[in-house]
């Protein structure tokens, strides 16, 4: 892979196209690949130059857990592999269906439980990067400061190397930077959902990575005539163009597209070689 790299947290050199492990479990809904296919995807990703894997202990369904698949496929881990995990409002994956008041993962005890679960299931003594995920849009006025301070204390214990934040507003980003060094922001952003444009620019100015989840639309894939037209000119797929657009949007954007298909994995990584022209980018809007 020749895609340019980024120093995550200032000291972890990662390729800008990584891999998100959520789809290996079919969580929170959808089909999942067989265990053998999941293991093959993880190993092939590393063979292709991926050294940034995004996961969480609560990516688990029906006895299939992303962290355990990662450990089985890749442990002992390559020296340059960066595993980014998360804790937050959810204690278990099934908590996703609870109302905001029923999601208790942001308490000090449950945050520690999440950190320990990630360490145990991944077979690590320290987590490279932990994202504090601040729930969903129904969370109301849940404060960021207290849970971030809890994770900062665990960082000082040596359990965490770098901290990130996820599903946050620009105001929360500014607040978080006053509390702890922030390595990355992980929010919803793609070609069709650009509310975070100012936040991406603020992260770039500060040397902080921005990691968009649902980079090609997630459960509602991006479809547009302009996207298809650009893809046709490059003999590429629409998802590849959507990923290439993100890479061109800002040098601090790191991608973690997930897939349960070996073919799609190869296509996603190949998007790093796709060079969009100024005309392409203007046409995409």
């Amino acid at each position: 892979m020749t895609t340019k790299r980024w120093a995550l947290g200032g000291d972890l050199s990662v390729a800008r196209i990584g891999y998100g492990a959520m789809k290996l479990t079919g969580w929170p809904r959808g089909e999942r690949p067989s265990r053998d296919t999941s293991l093959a995807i993880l190993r092939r990703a590393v063979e292709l130059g991926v050294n940034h894997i995004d996961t969480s202990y609560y990516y688990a369904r029906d006895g299939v857990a992303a962290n355990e698949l990662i450990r089985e496929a890749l442990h002992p881990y390559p020296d340059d592999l960066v595993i980014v995990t998360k804790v937050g409002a959810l204690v278990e994956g099934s908590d996703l269906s609870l109302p905001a008041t029923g999601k208790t993962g942001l308490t000090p005890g449950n945050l520690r439980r999440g950190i320990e679960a990630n360490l145990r299931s991944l077979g690590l003594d320290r987590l490279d990067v932990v994202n504090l995920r601040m729930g969903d849009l129904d969370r109301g006025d849940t404060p960021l400061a207290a849970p971030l301070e809890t994770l900062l204390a665990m960082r000082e214990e040596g359990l965490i190397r770098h901290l990130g934040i996820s599903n946050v507003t620009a105001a929360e980003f500014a607040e978080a930077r006053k509390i702890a060094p922030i390595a990355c922001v992980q929010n919803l952003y793609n070609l069709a959902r650009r509310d975070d444009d100012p936040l991406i620019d603020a992260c770039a100015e500060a040397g902080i990575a921005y990691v968009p989840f649902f980079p090609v639309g997630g459960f509602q894939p991006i479809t547009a005539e302009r996207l298809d037209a650009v893809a046709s000119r490059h003999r590429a797929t629409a998802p590849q163009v959507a990923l290439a657009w993100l890479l061109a949007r800002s040098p601090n954007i790191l991608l973690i597209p997930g897939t349960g298909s070996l073919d799609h994995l190869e296509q996603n990584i190949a998007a790093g070689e796709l060079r969009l022209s100024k005309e392409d980018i203007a046409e995409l809007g």
Side-chain angles (χ1 to χ4, degrees):
M1 184 194 298
T2 60
T3 306
K4 291 182 180 179
R5 303 174 77 84
W6 179 266
L8 186 56
D11 62 352
L12 297 173
S13 177
V14 296
R16 289 183 62 205
I17 297 183
Y19 178 74
M22 186 177 76
K23 285 193 175 182
L24 296 182
T25 69
W27 184 89
R29 61 183 185 272
E31 297 181 2
R32 64 169 169 258
S34 69
R35 189 174 193 86
D36 286 346
T37 298
S38 294
L39 298 175
I41 287 170
L42 289 163
R43 290 167 181 151
R44 182 59 176 153
V46 170
E47 288 175 359
L48 291 171
V50 166
N51 72 327
H52 169 200
I53 295 178
D54 180 85
T55 185
S56 177
Y57 73 101
Y58 57 70
Y59 289 169
R61 199 183 86 187
D62 301 329
V64 179
N67 283 2
E68 292 171 2
L69 290 169
I70 292 167
R71 184 175 182 174
E72 181 176 345
L74 301 175
H75 195 277
Y77 301 117
D79 290 342
D80 69 338
L81 183 66
V82 175
I83 299 177
V84 178
T85 187
K86 61 184 67 67
V87 293
L90 303 183
V91 180
E92 303 290 345
S94 57
D95 292 349
L96 189 67
S97 60
L98 296 174
T101 54
K103 295 173 183 172
T104 62
L106 293 172
T107 65
N110 280 334
L111 286 170
R112 182 171 289 275
R113 175 181 170 185
I115 293 297
E116 291 175 350
N118 277 309
L119 288 166
R120 182 173 58 253
S121 55
L122 288 166
L124 293 169
D125 296 320
R126 181 174 69 166
L127 300 169
D128 291 323
V129 183
V130 174
N131 282 314
L132 173 63
R133 193 174 195 282
M134 290 300 295
D136 292 306
L137 297 179
D138 63 350
R139 63 184 165 92
D141 297 326
T142 304
L144 173 144
L148 186 56
E149 288 168 354
T150 297
L151 293 186
L152 181 60
M154 283 188 271
R155 179 177 179 264
E156 292 169 353
E157 289 179 40
L159 301 179
I160 302 168
R161 185 168 183 165
H162 294 297
L163 294 173
I165 49 177
S166 176
N167 233 27
V168 295
T169 64
E172 287 172 326
F173 169 70
E175 179 185 5
R177 292 189 66 206
K178 295 176 183 178
I179 297 169
I182 300 299
C184 53
V185 173
Q186 190 178 109
N187 274 10
L188 171 63
Y189 183 84
N190 55 48
L191 185 59
R193 296 287 299 273
R194 307 189 197 179
D195 294 346
D196 263 6
D197 274 330
L199 181 52
I200 289 173
D201 295 338
C203 286
E205 184 176 352
I208 294 170
Y210 183 96
V211 187
F213 61 78
F214 292 157
V216 295
F219 298 112
Q220 296 179 321
I222 300 167
T223 56
E225 290 183 6
R226 293 170 305 193
L227 185 61
D228 291 337
V230 173
S232 179
R233 284 202 299 273
H234 286 274
R235 297 183 179 180
T237 66
Q240 284 178 314
V241 173
L243 293 173
W245 180 87
L246 286 166
L247 291 173
R249 167 62 182 83
S250 184
N252 67 318
I253 288 182
L254 306 181
L255 303 183
I256 50 168
T259 181
S261 160
L262 277 164
D263 286 343
H264 289 164
L265 171 72
E266 304 245 0
Q267 291 171 16
N268 289 342
I269 294 173
E273 305 301 326
L274 182 58
R275 297 293 179 261
L276 300 181
S277 68
K278 292 181 180 179
E279 292 75 20
D280 292 330
I281 292 171
E283 183 174 348
L284 293 169

